Every structure is written in C-alpha cells, then in structure tokens.
Amino acid sequence: MKKRSMRKRTTSSSRENMIQNLYNTCKEVFANGKAGYVPPPADIQRLTSVLDNIEPKDIKFTAPSLEFSSTNPGTKEAPLVTYIKLHECNKFSIGIFCLPPSGVIPLHNHPGMTVFSKLLVGTMHAKSYDWVQNHDQFNQSGREQESGKSLAKVHVDADFSAPCNASVLFPESGGNMHCFKALTPCILLDVLGPPYSEGEGRHCTYYQDYTYDACSANGTADVKELELKEDGTRYAWLEERNEQLVVLGGTYDGPRIKI
C-alpha cells in the first residue's frame, strides 16, 4: 500500500512540474542562443517529447473566453488573438496563443529561428511554406520577381486537432513561414529559439500568398511540370505586406517557472 501511495505522489509531482521541465529543457537545448543555430536531432527529440507530453491541465492558467469574437458584431475583421508570455530571454521564449473561432495568425516568417508549436486545445488550419532557393527556371519572364513576389513551396496545408504531436520548423526548412486559422477555440503553446529581436535583425515579416497558376505568366502547364519534377509539391508566390499582428496581452497565472 505504501509503495502504491508513493508511486501516485511521484506521478502527481511530475505532472505539476511539466512547465518547469519545459523551461529546463529549453534552457539546455538553446544554450547556444545564436540565430541560425539548429539543435542536434537528439535535442530536437528531447524537446519535442516534452511538448508531446504536456496537456492543458499542466498549464493551469485561466484562459480567456474563446467562444465569441472580440470584434464588434457586423465587422469583417478577424477576432483578436490573445498572447500570454510564460518566459522570454535572449536565447528562447515560451508563450501561449489563445485563438477564438476564426481567429487568425497571419502568414509570417521566423528568421534564423527554430520553432516548436504544440496545439493543446481545439482544431485549426495550418499552412506553411519554405523558400525555393533557385527559381529562375520557374520564372521565365521575371515579372513576379520584379513585382516583389518570391517563389515558395507548400510544406503543410491541413487541419489539426488536439491532442496532436508538436511540430518543428527550422531556419531554412520545415515550413519556416506559417499561418494559422482557428476553426474552434484553440490554445497553442509556442517555443522560439532564439526569439524575435529587432536589435539583432530578427524582425517578423508578414506575407500574402498567391497560387502559382494565378500569377505565373506561363499558366498552369508550368505547374503540372513542376509537380511532376518535385513529386507533387505545390508552389505559391509570396509577397511582403505591411502588416502587424495585433494581439491582446494576457497574464500568466499558471505554475511558476524557477529561473
């Protein structure tokens, strides 16, 4: 009986420390702290495993009401998203995005960053892209390049529902540019290493995406040819847009993190 009691207490204590465990793991994985640094596969697996084991009850914070829009009735604007910071330093950040239905995090990049995302609650649509490094062969006229559009390939375009595994993107791959739209109330746990920093040149850039055939001067025939060459890969043109994500600031009242 005593052994069973001790085992139960150990399990409970372990779950109570999940957020501290996440912080400790991030501190080790991102000890390098430099832009463009990609942790080795073993560290990627360690941090992914920690995130995969986190459940909504481990956060224990008071989530804002996500059942209704934060905008005025009758407007076409997306409802506001809430961001709650758990921790931020010059090497990594941990935060939570709370999205009401139809809440959107627009398409944006992560310069020199490795990013882990874990959907804790809800269903959302995610789309992500990576740049095509040498796309002169796909752009015979040069018209798109002159107009400020650059070619990207689709990495993910799908719906995700919690519980699901954490996703990882890298500085040059894995869907470095992504966007989210909440189909139901959603809570998303985010880890950035290193975080955005205007002073160090890591500022967030937003994009508008256009389907390849809609912009290409050569029409859909090129798209079919690309799909054959790239095993079904889809493409789009991305154009920088002058936009900033406006979020509501939330207060974290969950388990404290010991720095």
Side-chain angles (χ1 to χ4, degrees), residues 187-209:
I187 297 177
L188 182 70
L189 179 60
D190 227 28
V191 174
L192 311 180
Y196 291 106
S197 171
E198 292 286 342
E200 297 180 12
R202 293 191 304 277
H203 60 275
C204 187
T205 302
Y206 292 90
Y207 300 91
Q208 177 64 54
D209 54 346

Side-chain angles (χ1 to χ4, degrees), residues 129-138 150-154 177 230 233-236:
Y129 298 93
D130 288 314
W131 293 120
V132 174
Q133 297 300 329
N134 297 307
H135 63 78
D136 290 343
Q137 58 180 314
F138 307 142
S150 297
L151 190 65
K153 58 183 177 180
V154 178
M177 296 158 290
E230 299 293 337
T233 300
R234 294 163 51 204
Y235 294 84

Side-chain angles (χ1 to χ4, degrees), residues 105-123:
I105 299 177
L107 184 62
H108 62 285
N109 70 342
H110 305 84
M113 301 154 70
T114 300
V115 179
F116 296 74
S117 298
K118 166 70 174 180
L119 182 61
L120 294 172
V121 173
T123 298

